[in-house]
Amino acid sequence: MRAEEVKCPAVWIGGVEKSYGRVTALSGLDLAIFPGETVALLGPNGAGKSTTIDLLLGLSRPDAGEVRVLGEAPAEMVAAGRVGGMLQTGQLIRHLRVRELVSMVASLYPRPRPVDEVLELTATASIAGRDTTKLSGGQTQRVRLALGLVGDPDLLVLDEPTAALDVEGRRELWAVLRAVSSSGTTVLFATHYLEEADEHADRVVLLAAGRVVADGTPNEVRGVVGGRRIRANLPGVDSDELAGLAGVAAVERRGDAVVLSCTGSDAALRLLLARYPTACDIEVTAARLEEAFVELTGAGAGAAGDPGARR
Amino acid sequence: MTNSSTYLRYEALRTARNWPFLVLSLAFPLILLLVVGGSHRHTHLDGISFPLYYMVGMASWGAMGAVVATGARISAERQGGWTRQLRLTPLSVRSYLTAKVVTGYLVALLGLAVIYLAGAGLGVHLPATGWLLMTGLILVGLVPFALAGVALGHLLRPEVLGPAIGGLTSLLALAGGAWGPLLTGSLAGIAKALPSYWLVQASVAGLDRRVWGVEGWGVMAAWTLVLVPVAVAAYRRDTARV
């Protein structure tokens, strides 16, 4: 996938500033997303996620800086049907059945996907004849997704697509979105569910106070704060001795167990096993994305500086 | 290019399925005509039969209400977030406004048909040219009202829109003379600057076959020229964040 990075970026945001009155939504946002990527835009409320999405969908303009979508102005790409979007809120209009609504929106695009294909893809074919007001939350959201996909976009932008859904609705929506991204569509979704970013994105962009504070794979973003941890039962070994192992950053003793915070957990584990054959009950765990999130956004953007994971 | 006729067809289908909206849009002018016109069937005013006189008034008032009510549909869609969803499609402002105005016109035409039938039932007689001239001029005269409906729909919330539309159309109908020439003196002069006055005159053309003069065309053109940018700006403002 990285080989495709030479292509024109699907999203290019350079030095964007955006304020609403006295409230600064974005302050110097830089972001490039490449074709085929599935990117999670993660951040607490007010970090600038929705503002970024509005800019990408041509719903607002930056005060300063540049926003390009597929190399062009966002509004032009929206008008050409090459960008599809799903906003955070929005009901479906009344007095239409699902298939009629999707057909109606399809008729607006220059080269729409066949309606049946979109209904199939979004798992809405079975409710195609149902009135738009008689759908569950999950069904409504999948129909809204169908509306975003029917123009056959190269880039799909979603603002908290699962915010109001129950577990089942969420699972179904992600199954559809995985199919969309595996067909080559670039997907950018805003979320404040860390587990969604972790499971469904191949890249996480963490926003805080209108700037990117971390950017990388979920593992890389986790690595910004702590990498992995090795926990092992190892009585009677001196902590300082363990701290000297390559790849170990810190050691904590909890009774018979030791917890090694690692910068290079693979090397540390090999050394541990080679030098201390008695070590048992070994667990290697990743620092949770949540810890990265809290440290990078909660502790203030200043503390995050310029994380190494950023490309 | 995009196929805006399909979009229009679905908008019309949605309007046709919204039968409470249709029934309520048609009911009041019809009830007034049947009750008031029916109770004075054999009365004459200025040599014109009262049911005929009343029918033309109700035709213009009903048609006005039908196109302005487009605003209520827009406002509800806007509140539900649909208007923003449409902004994520290639639908042009022109196609959007055209679909709204045309569906408003379809409701107005249906209303005119119902009023004409009721009038005929009350013994109203007009030559074919009378019916046609009146209908044609009413359709032209509805343009400013359709634009006002679109603008109001984008400027006001649904709960504010109800009284706004009800009050506005009633006032305009009253001042325009849909319920009889009530204004006199200088107020009557002011009324001639209102589009509703000329809309009522459009209906009256069915009686005397007199088309608007320069003043009538001028007033209608002026209102249209003012309201087109207002409606477009209201749509644009509404769909963009600050």
Side-chain angles (χ1 to χ4, degrees), chain A residues 54 79 91 94 97 100 108, chain B residues 2-3 14 17 80 90 241:
Chain A
D54 279 359
Q91 297 160 3
R94 294 171 164 274
R97 302 189 179 98
E100 291 168 342
L108 304 174
Chain B
T2 61
N3 186 353
R14 292 183 59 221
R17 282 182 184 160
R241 263 184 212 195

Side-chain angles (χ1 to χ4, degrees), chain A residues 67-270:
Chain A
V67 179
R68 295 264 142 196
V69 171
L70 305 163
E72 308 282 340
E76 279 173 38
M77 290 294 94
V78 167
R82 295 191 58 199
V83 180
M86 186 163 124
L87 299 170
Q88 204 176 115
T89 55
Q91 297 160 3
L92 302 174
I93 42 172
R94 294 171 164 274
H95 309 298
L96 283 180
R97 302 189 179 98
V98 169
R99 178 191 298 279
E100 291 168 342
L101 180 65
V102 177
S103 305
M104 173 174 159
V105 173
S107 75
L108 304 174
Y109 285 98
R111 45 168 189 100
R113 273 178 103 146
V115 169
D116 283 320
E117 193 184 301
V118 174
L119 294 175
E120 205 62 50
L121 175 66
T122 54
T124 50
S126 60
I127 51 165
R130 206 175 291 178
D131 198 285
T132 52
T133 52
K134 290 177 181 144
L135 303 175
S136 72
Q139 289 167 339
T140 301
Q141 208 66 339
R142 292 205 304 283
V143 172
R144 295 182 67 221
L145 180 59
L147 300 181
L149 286 171
V150 77
D152 199 15
D154 301 315
L155 170 68
L156 182 65
V157 179
L158 311 131
D159 195 359
E160 303 200 7
T162 61
L165 298 186
D166 59 16
V167 175
E168 182 64 10
R170 225 170 262 182
R171 197 186 59 74
E172 287 168 349
L173 191 73
W174 279 114
V176 173
L177 285 172
R178 258 197 307 278
V180 170
S181 75
S182 67
S183 71
T185 309
T186 309
V187 177
L188 172 69
F189 66 96
T191 183
H192 53 231
Y193 291 114
L194 300 159
E195 62 274 26
E196 283 193 343
D198 211 353
E199 278 175 44
H200 303 292
D202 40 46
R203 180 173 158 204
V204 174
V205 173
L206 194 53
L207 291 188
R211 295 176 51 229
V212 175
V213 293
D215 181 350
T217 65
N219 275 335
E220 284 169 342
V221 172
R222 273 193 290 264
V224 172
V225 284
R228 287 165 198 270
R229 285 160 198 212
I230 299 172
R231 188 181 189 284
N233 255 349
L234 192 58
V237 176
D238 183 35
S239 292
D240 290 342
E241 208 179 305
L242 292 169
L245 294 176
V248 174
V251 178
E252 191 186 335
R253 180 160 277 289
R254 294 177 186 165
D256 284 348
V258 288
V259 178
L260 314 178
S261 298
C262 303
T263 50
S265 59
D266 293 343
L269 184 60
R270 284 192 189 95

